[in-house]
Amino acid sequence: MTVPNRQVRRTRARVLEAAHRLLAQEGPDAVTHLRVAEAADVARATVYRHWPDRIDLLVDLLESGASPPVFGAPPGEDARAQLITALGRASDNFEGELGRDAVGGLPTELVPHFFRSLSDSLGAAIHVSVSGENTHHMVESTVKGIALGIQNTG
């Protein structure tokens, strides 16, 4: 990995500072390549060169220390989860290893797909982190927990 030269580091810092200002003043929808380039007084191509995707720019912004309350996510949540919360987009994040191939007749490889489909159907951000020794209990408690969460929002 090459270390960026001083001018590149300064430019990246200026762009991130401009992005942070836009985020704090107007929210995540304001953090676009064009708006950030204008606020940082750099060419839009410069922003694209460093961050080809807006999501990459927002993740770098989060990782550079943007305040989680600005994003509406609790401190300590990872950058991807903060970004999902901030954008209010349907997305899923399933973390955990299910030790068996199936629970009852359900192949455990379908469990993350279930949450992805549920997230898409609801237009919701669903974050699941599961751990334990008993795969049956892990799947059961996760599904029940999400179901209770959905029930309590209605």
Side-chain angles (χ1 to χ4, degrees):
M1 179 177 147
T2 60
V3 176
N5 69 34
R6 187 176 306 152
Q7 183 177 354
V8 170
R9 287 192 307 269
R10 280 196 306 254
T11 300
R12 285 179 63 88
R14 192 165 75 228
V15 169
L16 287 172
E17 287 169 14
H20 189 265
R21 280 194 310 275
L22 285 169
L23 177 69
Q25 293 169 357
E26 300 178 44
D29 290 335
V31 183
T32 65
H33 285 87
L34 178 61
R35 297 279 313 276
V36 170
E38 289 171 349
D41 197 28
V42 299
R44 184 166 32 164
T46 300
V47 179
Y48 274 105
R49 187 175 312 112
H50 293 280
W51 298 278
D53 186 298
R54 178 175 174 255
I55 301 300
D56 297 331
L57 173 58
L58 287 165
V59 168
D60 273 3
L61 181 59
L62 283 167
E63 291 175 346
S64 73
S67 172
V70 170
F71 283 86
E77 208 174 306
D78 68 40
R80 182 177 184 274
Q82 288 183 35
L83 186 55
I84 290 166
T85 301
L87 297 177
R89 301 255 170 90
S91 184
D92 72 295
N93 184 21
F94 186 91
E95 297 175 1
E97 294 295 323
L98 301 174
R100 295 192 335 217
D101 291 337
V103 172
L106 174 70
T108 54
E109 68 183 16
L110 295 180
V111 173
H113 297 288
F114 165 77
F115 288 110
R116 184 172 304 121
S117 295
L118 181 62
S119 174
D120 290 342
S121 296
L122 295 174
I126 297 176
H127 311 281
V128 176
S129 180
V130 62
S131 62
E133 300 295 322
N134 186 314
T135 303
H136 175 88
H137 292 155
M138 292 164 62
V139 172
E140 180 181 38
S141 63
T142 302
V143 171
K144 284 181 178 179
I146 294 294
L148 285 172
I150 292 169
Q151 181 181 12
N152 290 332
T153 61

